[in-house]
Amino acid sequence: MNVMPRPSQWDDLIRPDRVHGSLYKDPAIFEAELQNIWYRTWVYVGHESEVPNANDYVIKSIGPQSIIMTRDEQGKVNLLLNRCSHRGNQVCSYDKGNARSFTCPFHSWTFANDGRLVGYAFPDGYEGADKTKLGLGRVTRVQSYRGFVFGSFAAEGATLEEHLGGAKETIDRLVRTSPEGEVEVTAGFLKHRVKANWKFVLENECDGYHPAFVHSSIFNVADSAIGTLYGGKSTAVTRDYGNGHTEIDLRPEFRKRDQPLSWFGTTAERLPDYTSQMTAAYGEKQAREIMIDGTPHVMIFPNLFIAEIQMFVIQPLAVDDSVQHVTALQFKGAPDMNRRLRQQTMGSVGPAGLLLADDSEMYERCHRGVLARNPEWIFLARGERRESTDADGFKVGHVTDEIPSRGIWRHYRSLMEAR
Amino acid sequence: MLARESSTTLISAVTAFIYKEARLQDEHQYEAWEALWTDDGVYWVPANGADIDPEKEMSIIYDNRSRISLRIKQLLTGKRHTQTPQSRLRRIVSNIEVLDDEQSGGDIAVASNSLVFESSLRDDTIWAARNEYRLRYVDGELRMAYKKVTLVNNEKALFTLSFLI
């Protein structure tokens, strides 16, 4: 298939318990995803802590597009398109820095870090031109939640908080695990490229069925208690928050263990500074509860994956080319905790990660697999007959059930069908 | 400064060590490669340049001796999927120089360049790197106390790197 499906044809591609393999491999569908998902809905771009000072900037992305996230002199965060409004040249060639303005090297057009065109070479040739209409392109709407900056190219639509919906609480849960109530993104990113469609990455993040098999090699040799979380007898649950957001909620298992910091494979005694900071911030009882529950494992559609100790940002470059940007989460003012967060993250993720290199192998093998024509379907029915509803009205199932994939595809279809 | 003769002897020993390490890596002789490390070995593959602080920023690999051992144990399970089947590898190591033969603790600072051809299920990939070592004589044999592998393209998005670089 090389032509975009008509709305009625989505019935042929997305069913409640299965999706068609062409959704992962058809270049026309990928182009439509850019228009209907990446350039329309709320997409995570960066974190405010990456541009802490006035005039800081960092290069980010929305899909294949390069975005300059700046903090201007007034302290406002801007998402600017890295494209000169004159001839399209990229105006910024460095990953990060501090600059009041960006001068295009092609014809010396200069833009302030809030996007305004402030000057061009030999201005007498531009008599009558309106500089105010020649600024850098910008992401139409920019909103942040707890420091996480999202952008949307749609002028109208749901607010960021409406989009986050029930998943908003997972971000609250994350920042609460920091003694100062803030996370920081200051450890730099690993960029792990896979020759696979981005949705294989998206769906794997809350797939609780695979760890026992894909990661058995590390569970067998590391003294890890992760394996039991994803076993057949686990009480952890998968959850569908709607709007494509999905979660693996491991708290039922951590609460059974009833040990602070067990979620992080350590103890309060081994992180004494963090533990005392938490107790000072929240009081003994609440600090203990927070340190038992730990941080969330949540996939914010379409590209922000908070994986307990690290965060991934999924970037689609082409139908079969994707990048996972990943960094350790850092808790403001908690150095002993942060060191462990970095060490554990570096061991697990990125191109050589003891976990993620095997996940990425699966993404690439799946991508090659769906090139086969029979069967053409991906079967996503696991746990369909044992779904239930939690106290907040969200669908939940066993930790190994495919509730997250079904939720992602339901939302995906609503976006792709929209005109 | 070493006398000419002992300098020649040292560079020969260092070169032989580095060629042997390269062969063990290419042929996935995991245990023999692990045996090249000293007890305090550090294996570092930085990301985003050569000069980041690995105690503050993310590296592709930043293994202390126990994590080197864990990495090897995982490969030896045979269920490290990204290396099952194993990448087929051959590397050229060149530009070997002894940069400092009298570091504190008796370590010898050595550098080389390498070019690695990897053939895996995904595709064929070429990796290029600057390698910096601290080597040490332990019981009369050279051992690695430190190996830093700075990939030329470590600022870019990289495909999986699950063989021994």
Side-chain angles (χ1 to χ4, degrees):
Chain A
M1 175 173 35
N2 292 308
V3 180
M4 260 309 291
R6 295 184 303 278
S8 63
Q9 289 179 308
W10 289 103
D11 285 335
D12 298 333
L13 298 173
I14 301 174
R15 297 179 188 167
D17 67 346
R18 65 193 67 201
V19 297
H20 196 263
S22 60
L23 293 162
Y24 299 89
K25 66 180 178 184
D26 186 333
I29 287 182
F30 180 78
E31 289 302 317
E33 288 169 351
L34 291 181
Q35 301 308 317
N36 278 30
I37 298 174
W38 295 91
Y39 302 157
R40 182 180 290 180
T41 69
W42 289 105
V43 174
Y44 174 73
V45 180
H47 194 271
E48 288 173 6
S49 61
E50 295 179 82
V51 285
N53 304 308
N55 305 318
D56 283 348
Y57 72 87
V58 62
I59 295 292
K60 294 288 169 184
S61 60
I62 294 183
Q65 291 194 47
S66 173
I67 305 285
I68 317 172
M69 182 167 88
T70 69
R71 189 180 289 278
D72 63 30
E73 293 189 40
Q74 282 70 46
K76 182 170 163 257
V77 174
N78 304 272
L79 300 181
L80 308 173
L81 274 56
N82 190 7
R83 178 205 190 281
C84 184
S85 51
H86 175 215
R87 297 265 201 111
N89 201 38
Q90 291 202 321
V91 297
C92 182
S93 304
Y94 295 93
D95 287 340
K96 59 185 173 183
N98 184 278
R100 288 171 194 276
S101 62
F102 300 95
T103 297
C104 178
F106 199 1
H107 302 93
S108 205
W109 284 37
T110 298
F111 303 89
N113 60 12
D114 61 3
R116 282 176 298 120
L117 174 63
V118 293
Y120 27 50
F122 316 140
D124 55 327
Y126 286 120
E127 200 178 337
D130 183 357
K131 273 191 196 168
T132 65
K133 295 200 164 82
L134 288 168
L136 290 176
R138 49 199 313 135
V139 179
T140 316
R141 285 188 298 163
V142 181
Q143 290 179 15
S144 66
Y145 186 71
R146 302 263 192 181
F148 292 84
V149 180
F150 294 74
S152 164
F153 281 109
E156 292 175 358
T159 65
L160 174 62
E161 295 203 19
E162 287 165 353
H163 164 74
L164 292 173
K168 196 175 71 159
E169 184 269 337
T170 63
I171 298 178
D172 297 338
R173 217 189 297 156
L174 169 67
V175 300
R176 190 179 64 183
T177 319
S178 164
E180 296 186 22
E182 285 182 50
V183 295
E184 295 184 313
V185 177
T186 49
F189 280 84
L190 298 182
K191 289 159 278 188
H192 188 178
R193 188 174 175 191
V194 289
K195 199 169 177 179
N197 186 266
W198 65 278
K199 298 187 295 299
F200 287 120
V201 186
L202 167 70
E203 287 183 87
N204 188 59
E205 311 300 26
C206 286
D207 175 77
Y209 196 18
H210 80 279
F213 316 104
V214 174
H215 304 305
S216 65
S217 63
I218 194 65
F219 295 160
N220 285 344
V221 297
D223 186 20
S224 168
I226 299 176
T228 59
L229 301 173
Y230 298 99
K233 292 182 179 143
S234 172
T235 56
V237 299
T238 44
R239 180 173 289 118
D240 171 8
Y241 281 111
N243 288 349
H245 312 313
T246 59
E247 179 184 26
I248 292 180
D249 188 351
L250 300 165
R251 287 175 295 177
E253 284 292 309
F254 297 141
R255 287 174 185 174
K256 269 202 305 192
R257 292 180 187 175
D258 197 35
Q259 289 292 326
L261 295 173
S262 170
W263 68 271
F264 195 13
T266 188
T267 61
E269 290 70 35
R270 290 169 71 178
L271 290 174
D273 295 347
Y274 171 74
T275 301
S276 62
Q277 286 171 312
M278 289 294 286
T279 306
Y282 296 102
E284 198 158 331
K285 182 167 177 292
Q286 198 189 357
R288 189 170 189 283
E289 286 168 5
I290 294 170
M291 288 193 290
I292 286 170
D293 281 355
T295 50
H297 182 117
V298 64
M299 180 66 234
I300 309 282
F301 186 92
N303 70 332
L304 173 63
F305 174 36
I306 295 166
E308 289 103 327
I309 64 170
Q310 65 247 166
M311 58 177 259
F312 294 74
V313 184
I314 301 169
Q315 181 187 14
L317 293 174
V319 68
D320 61 349
D321 194 358
S322 310
V323 178
Q324 306 166 80
H325 301 256
V326 57
T327 188
L329 290 163
Q330 300 281 271
F331 294 168
K332 194 172 183 186
D336 61 341
M337 183 64 164
N338 288 342
R339 182 170 192 282
R340 187 176 163 84
L341 287 163
R342 289 191 303 271
Q343 293 294 340
Q344 295 297 313
T345 296
M346 273 192 276
S348 316
V349 306
L354 303 179
L355 292 168
L356 264 289
D358 287 320
D359 291 301
S360 298
E361 184 68 25
M362 298 302 115
Y363 306 150
E364 292 176 343
R365 292 189 194 183
C366 283
H367 195 98
R368 295 195 298 273
V370 295
L371 301 178
R373 296 183 59 87
N374 182 19
E376 293 183 289
W377 296 90
I378 303 276
F379 185 53
L380 298 172
R382 185 176 170 78
E384 199 179 29
R385 294 186 184 174
R386 59 180 182 188
E387 290 184 356
S388 57
T389 304
D390 70 10
D392 298 311
F394 301 119
K395 274 187 191 173
V396 291
H398 186 259
V399 69
T400 63
D401 286 352
E402 285 162 341
I403 279 188
S405 270
R406 291 192 290 273
I408 286 168
W409 283 106
R410 191 181 321 107
H411 182 63
Y412 175 95
R413 179 172 174 168
S414 73
L415 296 174
M416 296 297 281
E417 282 182 327
R419 290 284 128 176
Chain B
M1 219 26 215
L2 290 173
R4 180 185 296 263
E5 190 175 331
S6 65
S7 168
T8 307
T9 307
L10 181 61
I11 193 83
S12 298
V14 162
T15 302
F17 178 89
I18 286 177
Y19 285 176
K20 179 181 176 184
E21 194 226 348
R23 174 169 49 82
L24 296 178
Q25 291 184 310
D26 281 348
E27 297 179 358
H28 303 283
Q29 296 189 44
Y30 303 130
E31 287 160 305
W33 181 79
E34 189 187 349
L36 299 180
W37 287 94
T38 61
D39 292 342
D40 59 349
V42 171
Y43 179 32
W44 182 26
V45 183
N48 302 310
D51 301 321
I52 64 162
D53 179 351
E55 292 294 335
K56 290 189 176 150
E57 292 175 85
M58 298 284 291
S59 291
I60 297 163
I61 294 175
Y62 185 50
D63 286 359
N64 60 14
R65 187 63 186 79
S66 83
R67 193 167 279 169
I68 291 170
S69 176
L70 184 64
R71 192 175 292 280
I72 295 304
K73 280 190 193 126
Q74 185 188 24
L75 287 164
L76 287 170
T77 63
K79 292 180 178 172
R80 173 67 158 160
H81 300 290
T82 168
Q83 280 299 315
T84 316
Q86 292 169 331
S87 299
R88 279 168 291 158
L89 300 165
R90 280 298 159 189
R91 74 192 70 198
I92 305 294
V93 183
S94 175
N95 304 58
I96 299 172
E97 289 182 280
V98 173
L99 298 179
D100 184 353
D101 54 25
E102 20 190 352
Q103 290 200 327
S104 61
D107 288 0
I108 307 157
V110 175
S112 69
N113 293 344
S114 62
L115 197 60
V116 187
F117 187 92
E118 178 195 17
S119 182
S120 68
L121 287 181
R122 182 191 55 250
D123 208 343
D124 297 342
T125 312
I126 292 173
W127 305 87
R130 177 69 167 169
N131 306 307
E132 294 166 68
Y133 295 85
R134 284 203 297 272
L135 304 181
R136 184 186 304 160
Y137 277 105
V138 179
D139 300 331
E141 300 277 339
L142 277 175
R143 293 278 179 268
M144 290 188 284
Y146 173 90
K147 183 181 182 188
K148 175 184 177 186
V149 181
T150 306
L151 296 163
V152 172
N153 57 346
N154 76 2
E155 305 196 13
K156 291 195 176 145
L158 299 174
F159 286 119
T160 293
L161 174 64
S162 53
F163 63 88
L164 298 173
I165 184 78

